[in-house]
Amino acid sequence: MKKLLSLFLALCIALGLSAQGMWLPSLLEKQNEKDMKSLGLKLSADDIYSPAKPSVKDAICWFHGGCTGEMISPEGLLLTNYHCGVDQIQTHSTLEHNYLEDGFWAKNRGEEIPCPGLWVQFIMRMEDVTIVALQGVTDGMSETDRQSQIDKNIAMLRSTVKKEKWEEVEVRPFYNGNQYFLFVVQLFPDVRFVGAPPGSIGKFGADTDNWVWPRHTGDFSMFRVYADKDNHPATYSKDNLPYRPGHFLPISLEGAEEGDFSMVYGFPGRTDEYLTEAGVRQTAEVLDPAKVAIRDRSLKIIDGFMRKDPAVKIAYSARYASISNSWKKWFGEMQGLKTYKALDKKREYEAEFTRRIQQNPEWSTRWKNLLPRLRQSYQDIEPYVLARDYYSETCLRNNEILTTAANLGTWIDSYDEKNKALFTSKIENVKAGMEAFFKDYHPEVDMAALAAMLEMFAENTKPEWGANDVKVMAEEAGGYPALSKKIITNSTIANRDKFIALLTTKSPPEIVETLKKDPAYALWARLQGYYTAQVQPKLQEIQPKINLLQRQYMAAQMEVFKEKKFFPDANSTLRLTYGKIRGFSPRDALQYEYQTDLDGVMEKYIPGDYEFDVPQKLIELWKAKDYGQYATTDGRLPVACIGTNHTTGGNSGSPALDANGNLVGLNFDRVWEGTMSDLNYDPAICRNIMVDTRYILFIVDKFAGAGYLLNEMKLVKGKKKRHK
Ligand code: ARG
Ligand code: GLU
């Protein structure tokens, strides 16, 4: 068995199956072009990324630091996901104009809605600056000295690099700090909301369908980027003009079919593909299960209240969605790592690594202790990372009152008897923030959540880290529910009228004194005190050791497995991933097709349902089969498709392109069975999910009647092929 696995591994490496990855656009020619062409790519590496001439990269932007967006017209029209734009959609919604419910489409440029605070960033060029960034760095240096030397080098790079006045420079580590790249970027702060479908299309299937295939969500929204008269970044002004990008994506009406070449261009956030078995085990067997158990409890509580009270349902839907999104991903991740034997694969890989270094005396001296030391360090850090997750999940993320106390904490701490100006200047902000909090706050929900969270904290962390204090408090109060009730009913932070009265009628010293004595604030401060005194120092001591060892292990892998191509882990920089449009078989006898269509939306339709309602107009279009030019030759309307592109969080809104660089889809999710891909990408199981551009155009044109937007796009009509 062991031999077979090694053989398989060697074969995979030899066949370049390891080519799955998130590749650096500037290195495509060297690393991937041949492979991509063999899979069907018609463009050259230079068409996809070029620092000198217009290329596909000029159409891609980082959307507000968490998602990706792309230019789909020469006039700055931007496409991204519904769930990436939802904050803006929500912000601009009122009772009379409920865009969340009804959707919104600006009928002309004048109706586009400015979005203060929203920004996008384009990459002008990227350069390998490893040699300069690591100048003066030596092997024996402490991690702190190393970092300060690197910081100095980076500062020097920033000040000397050639750039325009309106450009900015960023330098980022890759391969765990073995390489550095510099990016010259342009950041545009004037981005306006153009339109989005109603939530019943944009988040159709909501949390039930999230991370799941087959999928039927029309997860898209549109914005427009504005620039000054010279086409440079500028803060909002009514005189700004639509941005003219170096490139915009033509949109294919032909769609994507099983086996077609596919690539996704965007800003993946974070992956950990090169961890050791010990690292993966910690995530799979310790951290994920703990976080899942905590959120399981909190989600059940919130859901119970949401089902009983429609007002709670509205107030808690965004909160529920965001807690549930990571919960579901971690759940899928830990299951997938187990089902698809990630630890066995890591073990085999490490055995091969060890075998190879044993055959080379120089490698052996340098690296023979690496894996044992990493194993030891993971063991050393385990109680503390678990404590960190418990602290942040139970004390902060999954109840509202302690989180709010923590947020107020920074403000309260800024109080200075001799200089009250800073504190006073923030009062109006705090008031506004707290009004927003109270708008959706239901103390009865939070009481139940806090009781459960305090119990989980007390039962699962060490007595000397605050667990004992919480237990004693609960005993004194007569149980966790009673303790939670006592805290929340007596807390000013949980009571709008009391809180606003405090801020409007009392002096700064009185405000500070009252809040410091507040039972919620006091509890948070106590737990946080334990955390910073006992957990954090240990993390700060052990984590740098792991970082150092992991950096050495990364370098060692790249040298020992010379035949293998390594992509750097995702770090929110621009990457290209590629593969094929493909269905998959998650387990015996079960085969998933690569594409869904509108009939499937109607199969899932539950009238009036919170997650699966369908707008009347869409039902009518479906009944009439009125799909126009967006239909396949056999009369269907495709909605979503899947492919073998290696994506992660941050790739939301990334364009899915065909072999000619035409837009065929909009990335928005991954399949449940493959959520482990951040740690263990498996081409047989892992799939990214994209909305079909034909569905997007159909919704804009036929459903919303905003077809005038199509006038500025470039639609590519090809010979239609049969689907399914
Ligand atoms: N799972 C996707 C992502 O990680 C979509 C999340 C938004 N949808 C939701 N139902 N919460 O961001
Ligand atoms: N929905 C994710 C995002 O917002 C993308 C899905 C994934 O994690 O792959 O970035």
Side-chain angles (χ1 to χ4, degrees), residues 66-67 81 83-84 211 325 647-652 667-670:
C67 284
N81 286 146
H83 78 262
C84 296
W211 299 111
N325 192 40
T647 55
T648 188
N651 271 125
S652 272
N667 186 75
F668 73 103
D669 212 355
R670 276 174 284 167

Side-chain angles (χ1 to χ4, degrees), residues 305-316 442 610:
F305 283 95
M306 283 170 74
R307 279 176 196 277
K308 275 194 304 223
D309 182 349
V312 175
K313 200 176 203 173
I314 295 170
Y316 280 72
H442 288 249
Y610 180 56

